[in-house]
Amino acid sequence: MITLLVCESVGDCLQEAPWEIQPRPHPGWPSHGTVQFKDYQVRYREGLDLVLRGVSFVVNGGEKIGIVGRTGAGKSSLTLSLFRILEAAGGHIYIDGLDISTIGLGDLRSKLTIIPQDPVLFSGSLRMNLDPFEVYSDTDLWRALQLAHLDEFTRSQTQKLHHSIIEGGENLSVGQRQLVCLARALLRKTQVLILDEATAAIDLETDDLIQQTIREEFKDCTVLTIAHRLNTIMDSDRVIVLERGTLKEFDSPTNLLKRPASIFYGMAKDAGLV
């Protein structure tokens, strides 16, 4: 069991919620990946202003949703809330109808996958970084590496799957680090995938590879993409536009671009997309 202590000040640490709560969710949960925020509020610490202010929306299972907004709009706060790294100040989040505040953090987090903006890699072998608990076979690992466009690189290394990675993955390029995170996601293949500005720091070619693989391999999964580059979410089913912690727009990119007064249209214009 892993327990995270969230420290507000020296000597004042808040322990996270329990890792396991009985009764536990059905092993097949979530089967659809429907995500609902209902009048959801959150703040980073007691006494601070809310960073999400009564956000409500429903994402249907299998939908591909882009999440955009200016800096400080609350985009990453949605991610932190889904994983319950931030706990609700009000309202609820439901996944397939189950209130996530009623289950253990272990059951919740094991059913979500995130590819973060800053890849987390550890000192050790490539295999350990992909499968630290040794759950998957070498065949599974090679398939994930192939889909993540890392198999050629791995085969070119003397130790193959046991190629040594130094702390933070400093002996890999930024793009390769993100592809390792993509391979991890492919191995776990949860029903809900979150991309938190995952391609913000990599080249367009690697970005295209990641987007292509996600479209093909996660076509039946719910994918929430916090976007740095608007072009990465232009083919989303719908787009959530946040501003100062509130939901301002939620519609397809096509419909939003038909409205020159929309915030999304203004962002697309600034990015040279219209």
Side-chain angles (χ1 to χ4, degrees):
M1 184 181 77
I2 301 172
T3 300
L4 178 66
L5 297 180
V6 182
C7 297
E8 296 182 343
S9 61
V10 176
D12 181 17
C13 288
L14 301 176
Q15 184 169 321
E16 283 197 313
W19 201 245
E20 186 178 305
I21 294 175
Q22 298 294 340
R24 298 178 65 183
H26 186 277
W29 175 86
S31 57
H32 300 291
T34 301
V35 177
Q36 179 183 10
F37 278 65
K38 187 173 183 180
D39 196 25
Y40 192 80
Q41 303 173 22
V42 76
R43 53 171 53 91
Y44 277 92
R45 196 172 69 232
E46 194 65 37
L48 294 182
D49 291 340
L50 292 170
V51 291
L52 292 177
R53 308 166 184 269
V55 171
S56 295
F57 61 86
V58 178
V59 175
N60 300 315
E63 270 196 298
K64 308 299 180 278
I65 302 295
I67 303 171
V68 301
R70 310 289 183 186
T71 301
K75 303 185 298 296
S76 290
S77 300
L78 285 180
T79 301
L80 295 172
S81 299
L82 272 170
F83 283 88
R84 287 179 58 198
I85 294 170
L86 293 177
E87 295 283 9
H92 302 272
I93 300 173
Y94 302 92
I95 299 179
D96 278 8
L98 178 63
D99 187 337
I100 66 169
S101 69
T102 65
I103 63 175
L105 295 183
D107 286 318
L108 171 64
R109 295 174 183 173
S110 67
K111 298 296 187 173
L112 303 173
T113 299
I114 184 169
I115 302 179
Q117 180 175 359
D118 300 312
V120 178
L121 297 180
F122 303 98
S123 177
S125 69
L126 173 60
R127 195 189 201 294
M128 184 275 288
N129 271 276
L130 291 172
D131 182 23
F133 301 109
E134 299 184 356
V135 175
Y136 303 99
S137 68
D138 283 6
T139 302
D140 294 331
L141 293 174
W142 280 114
R143 182 179 183 275
L145 288 169
Q146 180 181 8
L147 292 170
H149 310 280
L150 269 178
D151 56 323
E152 287 188 17
F153 166 79
T154 305
R155 292 183 194 282
S156 71
Q157 305 304 308
T158 305
Q159 293 183 295
K160 306 294 191 290
L161 289 174
H162 298 285
H163 175 63
S164 180
I165 293 177
I166 63 176
E167 188 72 31
E170 293 296 324
N171 57 335
L172 299 177
S173 70
V174 174
Q176 286 172 331
R177 291 175 221 164
Q178 283 293 26
L179 293 177
V180 170
C181 288
L182 174 60
R184 280 181 187 153
L186 289 160
L187 280 169
R188 300 185 70 222
K189 197 67 178 291
T190 56
Q191 195 62 36
V192 179
L193 172 68
I194 299 107
L195 308 177
D196 189 355
E197 301 200 71
T199 59
I202 63 178
D203 60 89
L204 287 172
E205 184 180 354
T206 307
D207 187 351
D208 287 343
L209 290 176
I210 290 177
Q211 300 302 330
Q212 177 186 336
T213 299
I214 288 170
R215 276 193 294 271
E216 293 172 358
E217 296 301 317
F218 291 90
K219 60 180 180 291
D220 298 323
C221 303
T222 303
V223 181
L224 307 177
T225 302
I226 296 176
H228 174 76
R229 298 171 177 148
L230 283 191
N231 61 296
T232 63
I233 53 92
M234 294 303 282
D235 63 346
S236 299
D237 296 317
R238 291 189 287 171
V239 174
I240 289 171
V241 181
L242 294 171
E243 185 178 77
R244 297 181 182 177
T246 61
L247 188 149
K248 291 294 187 181
E249 298 165 358
F250 190 22
D251 207 339
S252 70
T254 302
N255 287 341
L256 290 173
L257 290 175
K258 290 177 181 176
R259 307 204 303 261
S262 72
I263 297 170
F264 186 73
Y265 183 94
M267 296 177 70
K269 187 174 181 180
D270 291 345
L273 297 177
V274 292

